[in-house]
Amino acid sequence: MPDFTLPSIDYLAISPLLILFGAACVGVLVEALVPRQYRHPIQLGLSLVAVLVALVMVIRLAGTAVITAGGSVTVDGPALFMQGALFVFAFVALLLIGERRVERQGAFVAQAAIPVGSRADTKQLTALSATEVYPLTLFSLGGMALFISANDLLTMFIALEVLSLPLYLMCALARRQRLISQEAAVKYFLLGAYASAFFLFGVALAYGFAGSVDFADIHAAIGESPYHPGLVFAALALIVMGLLFKAAAAPFHVWTPDVYQGAPTPIVAFMAAGTKVAAFGALLRVTYVAFEQLAWEWLPIIGVIAVLTMMLGAILAVTQTDIKRLLAYSWIANAGYVLVGVLAVGRAGASATMFYLVAYGFAVLAAFAVITLVRDKDGETPYLARWAGLGRNSPLIAGAFTLVMLALAGIPLTAGFTAKFAVFSAALAAGEAWLVIAGVLSSLIIAFPYLRVVVMMWLSEPTESTSTVAKPGILTGSALAIGVAAIVVLGVAPGPVLDLAHNAAVFLR
Amino acid sequence: MSDFPYLSVLTAAPLVGAAVVALLPRSRPELAKRVALIWSLGVLVLAGATWVAFQPTGDTFQLRESYPWIPHWGVNFTFAADGIALVMLALIAVLVPLVILASWHDAERPNMRRSVPAFFALILALQGTMIGVFAAADVFLFYVFFEVMLVPMYFLIGAYGGARRQYAAVKFFIYALVGGLFMLAAVVGLWVVGGGTLDWQSLTQIDMSTGTERWLFLGFFLAFAIKAPFFPFHTWLPDAGGAAPAGVAVLLVGVLDKVATFGILRYSLPLFPEATLWFAPYVLALAVIGILYAALLAIGQNDLKRLVAYTSIAHFGFIGVGIFVFTSQAGTGAVLYMVNHGLATGLLFLVVGMLVSRRGSSLISDFGGAGKLVPVLAGVLLFAGMASLSLPGLAPFISEFLVLIGAFAVNAPVAVISTLGIILAAAYVLWMIQRTTHGPVNPKLTSMPEMKRDLSLREKVVVAPMIVLIIFFGFYPKPLTDVITPAVEATLTHVEVSEPADAPEAQP
């Protein structure tokens, strides 16, 4: 029997992960042991506290750079920066998930799988609120946090599943519009499963090439010989494909609009801000740490994907009539801009990418906070036509959404502009002028739909079908306020966050 | 006293005012108007103090202030003014109180229920961003104001304009954004070439390759050509100018568009001198086409506000000619034109707006013989028309004359063709006046009580200062030329053709 020594684990370094997974398990116990009517405040409080404590730990860990847990987890600058961003986003998203005043009993049902329209399903529409969503969120968040600090492909794959499976489920939990909610979940699950399979296949090929799934080993294996077999390219392609699916880059984007439209809005907010950070965090790590020496091979291909993503997202956004779908295509286009940052290989590229993710995350959180508020008696009304003249009746909410639209369009003094400047300048400094040109062109196109929403809200007369705006509860109100404040602060005084991103942008190999 | 941060205070003051006015209750429109007016007069006083603090014989760039902003990108809040910027700042400060007074009732027309405080807050916000554009001495800061400026203007046109306001507002925004994004690419390029700084003064020192310089020039020029607008990027202006409320239209063509010609002088020439010389013949061609084409279209217009908008495009052609022949005479003329055009076309827009609001229609064919009903108004219209066609003795004449003799010295064909524009200008102005205020009275007008109301005291107070300034500068432009000429000469040293004798070499 071979000697087996337990790997030494730096518990402090991975404490954010432990806190989240621990709190998620406690949440499951709460579901089992606490009477239904008390669960909501307990679960919400538990989740918020867990996320906050994890955030505090991340801040305390700042500057740490270790590889631990038997070489499976890296805790370095990029990981901590993006984990911090994730936790802030998750905190805001949890506020939206926990909102009970806008919709009685919250936006979620307990059992996603009950056939729509069946007696059980009708019953659960009016049933007491479901709180399974909190542990699910924590598991998913823990998965995302692990995803960006994985140090080998296998850990990354496990994290991918941990972050994805709860999301598939949560997509189906909408209290209203059960059918499209289920449809969204099924689409997301099926395509997500394919993507996972691609990723896993890539991992296997990488193992075949390097004899290890560790990033540093792969890096070393590539460095050993100047001639590379097709195996390594196939591995890289399949792994990146899996990651680009999560990031919703073209041509792996088709699930996005349907999922955005069908999933409960607070979950979409969580996904849009969080999954994007996780996906690009992992993409950065795979491309910068494991396959950096192949940059000349993957740069042009990912460059083409970036251009395709920006263009496709922008062009398809133009025709949308549903604001959630519009934001989905906007997400796709933005994935292209983030890729532009990734392609500026190096420290500037990594810091620009991370800054972009932060700026974009706050913008979408604010956007979805507004969407949860615009409704009629049957629930949310994300149809563009029903937002006509919204500015007349609720100038503050319409003003907040206008700010989000201006930020997404990249108007200066908003976070969106700073972020665009960051990725474009990094790309141009890396000599990728063609990406900047494509970025500019697609920004032009996508400004159109954003502007149309603004026109609808301010310049159109309200009609009889114009939705009303629910009075935001303290939870949604704070979520919206945080989002709006961040858009302005990152636009007007981005210096500290830029510096933070720059200082953090050193990967540990 | 010389350490007083004039330019940043001048930029911030209207923005603070905008916030104050925006917070006033919607139910008290009169209060909002008065606060806005008094605030803009305060800004005018500040601008006056800035003018006094500026030494015409001193350094090119004065009143310099710099505060760190985004150290990571080497971006600072740097403000500084040369003579060109100074006269534009003064023009804004003079125009905005008049515009506020002229727009007194524009936000409360019977068929729209828009917030009055918001309207005046937007005007003040626009003023703040426009001042920022001219005061900025950092390319990043300039770009920020250049883009943010769009937002209040977009809402002013889109929410308070006339028919087709939404179409016009969106078209305006998209056109400007197209230019702005190309400029963004160029700004990013400049940042990379400049080694991580966007400070104007350091950027003028760097050498770049010819290819890079031409691309960057194009990025900036495209933004400016759309904003100005030069032919063939002009189609948004008649729509925007036609749909905007009269006062807003004054700011649009009087000041906002000048950002483009200012930008060419401040950024294109000093930062990309060789590229500017290389592109000059093409720009001159566009400018000359613009003069003739827009004048011809102006003659054909049946809509008063669109007509004025087209005259403005023609005038911008003159400014373009003045800049791109690279003589100090023509350059001074061009900058002087930027001011005078703001006054003359501004007055024309205002008085046309007064006429249009009385008739409730902007179609020329709906008028006829209006001079018999509202003689004072018709007189002011005639005066504004004469100023617009550059009658000697009125301010625009001097600037047009300077541009043409400056151009003639180095490029006679351009000067001669441009002169044709003056003849066409006489045609569109005189024909427009003849069809609206002269001739037999349109019977429909006599039945409209509104059309019998001549200029009110408020309206007289609006037009009088502009008339006085147009006459004053028509005879005595020295206060302006004193500050403009050194700045223009300093700008032209960058392209190294300050003397007419050298200039022909500029033509490849």
Side-chain angles (χ1 to χ4, degrees), chain B residues 254-330:
Chain B
V255 185
L256 200 127
D257 293 354
K258 306 291 172 22
V259 173
T261 44
F262 172 80
I264 290 172
L265 282 166
R266 172 66 73 79
Y267 297 96
S268 303
L269 261 66
L271 299 183
F272 321 113
E274 275 120 302
T276 310
L277 283 177
W278 193 81
F279 279 106
Y282 306 104
V283 182
L284 278 177
L286 286 185
V288 171
I289 294 172
I291 292 175
L292 299 180
Y293 176 80
L296 286 172
L297 284 182
I299 294 176
Q301 285 303 311
N302 189 30
D303 183 298
L304 278 170
K305 286 164 103 175
R306 289 178 70 92
L307 187 149
V308 180
Y310 273 113
T311 71
S312 171
I313 297 170
H315 292 149
F316 265 99
F318 278 106
I319 301 177
V321 168
I323 294 173
F324 279 89
V325 294
F326 309 119
T327 65
S328 66
Q329 235 170 1

Side-chain angles (χ1 to χ4, degrees), chain A residues 392 411-413 417-418 421-422 424-425 428-429 440 443-444 447-448 451 455 458-461 492 494 498-499 502, chain B residues 69-70 72-73 113-114 140 143-144 147-148 154-155 158-159 166 170 173-174 177-178 181 184-185 188-189 191-192:
Chain A
R392 180 74 55 81
I411 300 294
L413 300 183
F417 169 70
T418 325
F421 193 90
F424 286 173
S425 61
L428 208 55
V440 164
S443 302
L444 292 180
F448 217 64
L451 207 58
V455 170
W458 294 101
L459 308 186
S460 299
E461 299 294 321
V492 176
L498 278 171
D499 286 339
H502 180 74
Chain B
W69 181 16
I70 311 176
H72 189 77
W73 289 333
R113 295 168 29 248
R114 299 284 177 186
F140 191 88
Y143 179 77
V144 165
E147 288 286 84
V148 171
Y154 165 75
F155 281 109
Q166 289 190 17
V170 171
F173 201 94
I174 294 286
L177 201 66
V178 170
L181 281 166
L184 173 64
V188 172
W191 180 79
V192 173

Side-chain angles (χ1 to χ4, degrees), chain A residues 160-346:
Chain A
L160 177 66
E161 292 306 304
V162 174
L163 89 85
S164 303
L165 289 172
L167 277 181
Y168 301 147
L169 194 52
M170 289 195 285
C171 283
L173 286 177
R175 189 177 283 269
R176 308 284 165 210
Q177 299 196 300
R178 299 275 309 123
L179 196 59
I180 67 164
S181 181
Q182 284 192 349
E183 184 189 323
V186 170
K187 275 188 181 156
Y188 193 22
F189 171 69
L190 282 178
L191 291 171
Y194 290 139
S196 296
F198 279 124
F199 185 89
L200 195 59
F201 196 20
V203 174
L205 295 185
Y207 184 77
F209 167 73
S212 162
V213 288
D214 192 272
F215 290 151
D217 293 343
I218 294 172
H219 178 80
I222 294 170
E224 270 165 20
S225 140
Y227 304 105
H228 307 301
L231 197 59
V232 66
F233 296 119
L236 176 61
L238 289 169
I239 291 169
V240 166
M241 218 185 271
L243 295 175
L244 289 180
F245 171 86
K246 279 286 156 209
F252 315 108
H253 66 282
V254 283
W255 57 275
T256 321
D258 293 332
V259 173
Y260 266 51
Q261 193 182 13
T265 306
I267 299 303
V268 183
F270 176 62
M271 276 172 60
T275 320
K276 192 155 216 159
V277 175
F280 279 101
L283 187 67
L284 276 176
R285 198 170 286 284
V286 167
T287 50
Y288 282 31
V289 177
F291 293 95
E292 192 194 15
Q293 289 155 344
L294 296 182
W296 285 111
E297 275 77 21
W298 56 257
L299 266 175
I301 299 168
I302 298 192
V304 170
I305 289 179
V307 172
L308 198 65
T309 308
M310 290 189 278
M311 286 299 174
L312 214 72
I315 292 168
L316 292 177
V318 172
T319 56
Q320 298 308 314
T321 54
D322 181 299
I323 287 176
K324 282 169 90 174
R325 290 185 80 88
L326 172 64
L327 285 171
Y329 282 108
S330 151
W331 193 32
I332 296 167
N334 275 284
Y337 299 130
V338 186
L339 276 177
V340 172
V342 174
L343 288 167
V345 184

